[in-house]
Structure formats: C-alpha cells, structure tokens
Amino acid sequence: MAVSQKTIYALVKTDLQNTTPNDLLRKPTNGLLGVNAAAATALKSFDVNTIFDLATSDVFEGARKIVKAGSNTKSLMYQHGNPTADIVRESVVGATKIDQIRYLSIAALERVPEASAPSIAAALDVANIRDLAEYPPSKAALHILNTAYFPENEPGFDIDQPADLLPTNGNYPTERVQYSTLVMDEIKIGTATATIDILADTFKPLDLTKLAGADAGFQNVAFGTLLTMSQSWFAQGVTLGNLLHSVSLAPGESTRMAVIDWTRKSSAGQADTIVEADELSNETSHNRAMNEVTEATANDAQSGFSSIRSSSSAQQVGVAASAAASFGFGVAGVAATYSAGSNKTAADSFSTSSGYRNLGASTLQNVNDRTHQNAHSVRPKRAAVVKEVSQTEHESISTRILANYNHMHALTVQYYEVLQVYRTKASLAKVDKVVFIPVKLMDFKNDDLIRRFRAVLVAASPNASVRNQLMNLDFTEISPDPATNYTWLNGQSPTTLTALTGARLSRQAAAGTPPSSTPSLPQPTAQASPAKLPSPSEQWAELADKLWNTVQQTARISGMLSQAVLRPNSSSLFTPTDVVIEGVMMHQSEETETGQWFETIAGEQISLSQVSSGYDLAVNELKALHLTVQANEERDNIIRFQLILNRNGVRFPLELPVTQAITWPKKFRSQVVVVNFKTAGMNAEVKNYLANSKMYYNTAVFKSLDATQVALLLSGCVVKIKQKQTSGQIIEKAVPVS
C-alpha cells in the first residue's frame, strides 16, 4: 500500500487514531476533524450519516465534476458545454457558462435542498460549489475509502508493484491475546428476603458472626455476563529512541572509528551419579540329634556256716593231815581236800561262701551333627562422573572512517536506538450470558463426604497435622517404637539416631565440612564432589529404608498393594486397614525365655500362638506388638519378627525391624515394644477444623469439580429468559442451564 496510514490518523479525531481504515468508514462523520455537531446535522440533510456515506456522496461527487469541467478543457462536460441535468438545478444555473458554474451557491446542485441551502452552507462553511468540492472532510473520507479498498486511486500508486507482496505495517496484528471478565449484573431478591438500605438511619454495621452459620453464603440467583475481550497488537513502524552516541567533525575532518566486539562465554557442568546397592543374604542351619542308651545288670549271692565245739577235762587230788594233842581240851584236826574238774573243748568250724556277680553294660550313642551355612553378598556400585567444560571466545574489530567533506560547516553524527511502535486495539470478542446459582456449603461432619473429597482437602490444607490425618483415614501406620533399639540402626533407637544425626549435621555445617554417611553405610573411597547437607526429608527416607527395606520388600509390597507404603518425612510403614495378620514367625539369636503378644485397642492381649493357630487379626484393631526377654546371664539378643499378611486373598510376608533386646544384669527381664499400630479415624478435631474453615475448603472442592460433575449438579435446572421474535413479540422461554 503506497499511501502511509499516518496521513489517515492525521485526519481523524484523537479517540479514533487507533481505528483501522475499514472501521473508520463505519464511524459517524463527526469523527473527522473539521466536522462539528452543526456540520454533521447539515450533512444528514442529504443522507450523509457515516464517513463512508460522505466518501460516496453524489452531492460532493457532482461538485467535483463541475469543478473539473470548469478547469479541464478535456473533460466531457466542458466539451459538451452544459453540465448533466441531474447534477445541477436548471432554475438556478440558467445560462451560466460551464466554467462559471463552480462559483454559484450550493443551491445550484440538484441534490441539495434549495430551501435549506443557506443554512447548510453556513454549517459547512462553504460559499459556493467550488468550496463544497474542496471540503476537507469530504477529501479525508475519500482518502480513507481509497486506502481501505482502492489504493490504486491514490496518487503515486505504481501499478507494476504487486500490492499483495509488498510488506506493510498495521494491516494485520502481530500478536493477539484474549482475556475474560466476569460481571455480575443483577441479583434476584425474593419477596421473603429482607433488604437493607445502607443509606437509611437504621443501617447497622455488618455482623461477621453471620459467616459462622451453617447456611452462610449466597442464597439468591444472580445474572451476569462473561465478557471475552480481544487485544490485538499492530506494528506501526519504527522510531528513534534515546541518543546513544554522537561524533562531531570539524569542516574537512575525518576520523577512524574502531568498534571492538569481544565476548567470552564459559560454561561448566558436572553431573555425579553414584548408585550403591548392598544386598547380604546369610542362611545358617544347625541340626543335632543325640540318642544314648545305657543298660547294667548285677547279681550277687553269698552263704556261710560256722560251728565251734570245745571240750576240756581236768582232775586234781590233794590230802592234808595235821595232829595236835591237848589234854584239857583236846584238839585234833584232819584236813583232806579232793578237787576234781573236767573240761572238754571241741571246736569245729565250717565256712562256705558262694558269690555270683553278673555286670553287663551296653551303651549306644548316636550323634548326628549337621551344619549348613550359606552366605551370599552382592555389592554392586556404579559411579559415573560427567564433567563438561566449554569455553568460547569471540572478538571482532571493525573500523569505519567518518569524514566531513564539507569544508565550510561542521558535521555531527548522532546514533540513536531504534524503537518499534505498536498500535493496540481492544475489542469485545464475545458476550456470554451467565447465571450465578447458589451452592449449599458442604457439611464436614459427614464422614463419607470427607472421604469423597479427601484428595482435594489434603492438597488444599496448609496444616500438616490435618493433612496427615486425612491421608491416613484408610491406612494403618506401623511405626517403630522411638525407645526401642534396632540392629539396622546400629543398636540405637530412632529418636536417638535422629538426634545424633541432626547434631552431627549441625556441627559439620558449622565447620564447613561435608557430612559423612550414616554408620551403617560404607564410606566412599573415591574422590567425589563436595556433598551437600541432606535435607530432613532425605534423612527420613534413609531411616525408613534402613528399617523396612530389607531385600527390597517395600518395593514388592507396594507392587502388590498398588500403592506406596513409605511416605516422605516418616519412618513408618503404611498398610490398608483391611489387611489381616494370619501368622507370626519369630527368630532369635540366643535361646532365652521370651514372651510375645499383641495389644489391641480394646486392651486385650493376644499371644502369637493364637494368631498362628488360625486366629486372623486385623491390623486396624491393634495397638502394639510387645516382647519380653529374660535370661540367667547377660545377653544381647537379636530378635526378628515376620508377619504373614493377607489382603483380599493375597498373602505376603512383612519383616519387621530387627529388635535388639538386652538382658542386663543377670536374671533381668527386658520388655520392649517392637512396633506400634495406629489407625487414623475421623478425628473430631479435624472435623471442627474443616468446619471452621468451611468457606476456604468449599471453594477448593468447587474448583476441583470437572465439567461432567457440574453438568450432573445442574441437570434439570432451567432459567426463564425473554426473547424477541422476528415479529417483534416478546416471549418467555425456559432454557436449560449448562
């Protein structure tokens, strides 16, 4: 297009400068400079209402033909000598020569009302036909018409130039965006709804306690519109911006200017990938059977007889005589002694001893000792370090000679920045009728409703405690006891390990040294890049892996349940509430007296033998798994529990964290909690929290509804609107709401 559009914008008023030529033709005539209200009224007298009407008006076209006929000897009317009868009024023109008709009043034109011709001439400020032909607004309208539809009629148009191939600015938008604005226009207030005049003397300040009611929210239907606005950007060309540099040259002076462009770009990137996987499988089987039989028989018999006879005989004779005479008394004595003794001794001794002793011993000892040990250790490690460093350098030098060949005047060369000029156009693209329908607020005392929109409530809740309780509504949390020592934590409790790790990380962060690995992981020997401090979530993930991820069991169980059993920032394992325990197996490193039982929520104690004998136990009914160990000497007993779980007929084992039970001192009875079970329910505090923030959470739920759900809620709803028929009759029609 040869004609610059800048000339068009100089012909219209300010509020129409950003309007395209096509749209300008539809504007009223008072949009042109020089057309006031009186002139616009005068133009309407010969049916000129828009700029297009002014550009194609027969009145101005006839005036231009008369002016051309009076000045151009080659024109048809000049050669004919008389103008066309339908252009001029014969009663006014009379015998006026063709070259003098242009100086007559506009009443000489046939299309101009003769009675109102003086007032029209005064309003348009024209004295004759020649002034009417040169009327500037008429020429401006014709220029806009040619620019829009007939560019070949403009002066300077080259017919050999293909207009459709020449680049032009401002005809089409280079960028177009749309945005929507929702406007509420009318609220239908029923007769039963009390209205409050805010300008009345009885008006009272708004009471915020109304928001605490269960029925808080909009109660009436409202109408509005959804306005879709379109904003288009049209490139208008370029212009000069700020002055960046200037060079002054004296007369005849020349200078050499060097422009040095030097750039250096360095980029370095390092990607470290270290994958370590430790898998250790140790199986030890020790069987010993011993059978010992000892048999002994002893028979002993003894008899004896002893007889002794003794006979002894002895004989002795003795006589003694004595005589004396005494005559007075006479004395005579005779003594005789006879002793006889017989002693006969006979001794007969017979001893007989008979003894019989039979001792038989038979010892049978059968010892079968079998030891089977299988150790399998796999430790793959893959470390990949990719370091890429690239550096590019560019330098360009260009010289330019600036010379002032004028020996009389100085020359100043100025360098400006070039700016691109755009014209923006905002227009209304679409208008949609909108109905605002009140929605009843959700009752968060309804458990089913909370479960239905649990995911939305979890995503919207800023409270971490509420999020955890909502996430665990249908899950049972199996958590290691904070006070129990576990072997996979190097004999420490989770509370102690977390405190030690946090203190260690704080000291290392203060000292500026990278943190070392946890005690159970080997230290890397290869030089690696400086490690960053692990985040709390990474620490929790490492702790959970140590406690539960034996032989990748968490990955296996997650695949069976089709859901993750480990969660960030937690050392617990989460299972669905419909999981039951069908059996329990326990292994200990030392043969000690132990006791194990499950504690239910109701306070009942259930032994492991009951569970293993066919008593299915639901995990959502449990509180904890207890263990007692007693020994006669100091022991460090490693105890391993394995639960046999079942969910919907799918059985799978779950190995609990290995417990380290210490019996010290002797004959000490140690009692620990292996794991705790916690099943979340509908906590009253959570319900109250959701109810107190019902507006916030209702908004989150409403925004989450898709088009199908909204259509289901609106099914059966209609709105009556008034429509105007082609006959002009206004009818009321029920339109479904969608």
Side-chain angles (χ1 to χ4, degrees), residues 35 53 61 107 119 123 183 234 268 304 336 366 374 388 411 467 523 588 613 618 622 633 665 681 690 696 702 711:
V35 179
D53 297 338
E61 181 64 22
S119 60
V183 180
F234 298 86
N366 184 11
N374 180 20
E388 179 181 356
L411 176 65
R467 288 199 304 268
Q523 297 288 343
Q588 56 180 336
S613 60
L622 299 178
E633 58 183 1
L690 297 176
Y696 172 78
F702 295 155

Side-chain angles (χ1 to χ4, degrees), residues 443-497:
D443 181 14
F444 289 108
K445 300 298 179 65
N446 189 336
D447 295 354
D448 295 336
L449 201 59
I450 295 178
R451 281 191 169 89
R452 169 62 179 82
F453 298 102
R454 178 178 58 182
V456 179
L457 298 177
V458 169
S461 177
N463 192 312
S465 176
V466 174
R467 288 199 304 268
N468 292 334
Q469 295 190 50
L470 290 175
M471 291 173 61
N472 297 335
L473 284 180
D474 297 326
F475 289 90
T476 297
E477 179 182 359
I478 307 177
S479 61
D481 192 85
T484 302
N485 298 328
Y486 297 97
T487 58
W488 292 343
L489 301 183
N490 291 336
Q492 295 177 339
S493 65
T495 303
T496 305
L497 183 65

Side-chain angles (χ1 to χ4, degrees), residues 645-661:
L645 305 180
N646 188 331
R647 188 195 186 209
N648 300 330
V650 179
R651 293 181 176 84
F652 55 93
L654 172 62
E655 186 170 350
L656 301 181
V658 180
T659 307
Q660 182 175 2

Side-chain angles (χ1 to χ4, degrees), residues 162-465:
D164 53 343
L165 297 181
L166 295 178
T168 58
N169 290 331
N171 290 343
Y172 304 100
T174 58
E175 187 175 357
R176 177 174 293 170
V177 294
Q178 289 187 345
Y179 58 93
S180 300
T181 302
L182 187 61
V183 180
M184 183 181 293
D185 182 41
E186 178 186 4
I187 300 178
K188 290 292 184 179
I189 300 178
T191 56
T193 304
T195 58
I196 302 175
D197 187 3
I198 60 175
L199 300 179
D201 297 337
T202 58
F203 174 75
K204 296 181 181 180
L206 300 178
D207 188 4
L208 297 181
T209 57
K210 183 179 180 181
L211 300 177
D215 57 346
F218 292 101
Q219 304 294 330
N220 301 313
V221 176
F223 292 92
T225 54
L226 181 63
L227 305 178
T228 302
M229 307 296 296
S230 176
Q231 188 179 67
S232 304
W233 293 67
F234 298 86
Q236 298 301 303
V238 295
T239 185
L240 298 180
N242 297 328
L243 178 63
L244 302 178
H245 182 65
S246 64
V247 178
S248 298
L249 299 175
E253 180 185 2
S254 63
T255 183
R256 183 184 298 272
M257 179 180 296
V259 179
I260 301 176
D261 185 9
W262 179 83
T263 58
R264 173 182 289 176
K265 181 180 180 182
S266 299
S267 61
Q270 180 172 347
D272 297 343
T273 303
I274 299 177
V275 179
E276 293 186 5
D278 290 347
E279 180 179 350
L280 176 62
S281 177
N282 187 4
E283 179 183 356
T284 302
S285 177
H286 182 79
N287 299 325
R288 183 174 184 177
M290 179 179 291
N291 186 12
E292 183 174 350
V293 179
T294 301
E295 182 179 356
T297 303
N299 295 325
D300 191 0
Q302 184 175 359
S303 62
F305 174 78
S306 177
S307 176
I308 300 174
R309 293 187 302 230
S310 178
S311 177
S312 176
S313 176
Q315 183 175 5
Q316 182 177 359
V317 179
V319 177
S322 177
S326 178
F327 302 101
F329 251 44
V331 177
V334 180
T337 301
Y338 175 77
S339 178
S342 180
N343 187 8
K344 186 179 179 181
T345 301
D348 187 8
S349 178
F350 174 78
S351 178
T352 300
S353 178
S354 175
Y356 173 74
R357 187 183 182 100
N358 183 10
L359 179 62
S362 175
T363 301
L364 174 62
Q365 185 175 5
N366 184 11
V367 179
N368 184 9
D369 195 347
R370 178 176 177 267
T371 301
H372 173 71
Q373 183 172 1
N374 180 20
H376 176 67
S377 178
V378 178
R379 179 176 290 182
K381 180 178 180 181
R382 184 181 62 185
V385 179
V386 179
K387 187 174 183 180
E388 179 181 356
V389 179
S390 63
Q391 183 176 3
T392 59
E393 185 174 339
H394 171 74
E395 182 177 1
S396 63
I397 301 176
S398 61
T399 59
R400 179 179 298 177
I401 298 177
L402 297 179
N404 183 9
Y405 296 104
N406 192 323
H407 294 272
M408 299 296 295
H409 302 282
L411 176 65
T412 300
V413 181
Q414 296 177 338
Y415 295 89
Y416 290 87
E417 63 178 356
V418 180
L419 302 179
Q420 192 168 7
V421 181
Y422 286 91
R423 174 175 57 90
T424 60
K425 175 186 176 182
S427 59
L428 185 61
K430 185 174 63 172
V431 178
D432 295 322
K433 189 73 173 179
V434 177
V435 180
F436 296 90
I437 302 177
V439 179
K440 184 179 179 181
L441 297 182
M442 295 172 54
D443 181 14
F444 289 108
K445 300 298 179 65
N446 189 336
D447 295 354
D448 295 336
L449 201 59
I450 295 178
R451 281 191 169 89
R452 169 62 179 82
F453 298 102
R454 178 178 58 182
V456 179
L457 298 177
V458 169
S461 177
N463 192 312
S465 176

Side-chain angles (χ1 to χ4, degrees), residues 11-16 24 27-35 51:
L11 301 177
V12 297
K13 294 182 178 179
T14 304
D15 56 344
L16 298 179
L24 281 175
K27 301 298 180 180
T29 55
N30 56 5
L32 297 172
L33 292 175
V35 179
I51 297 178

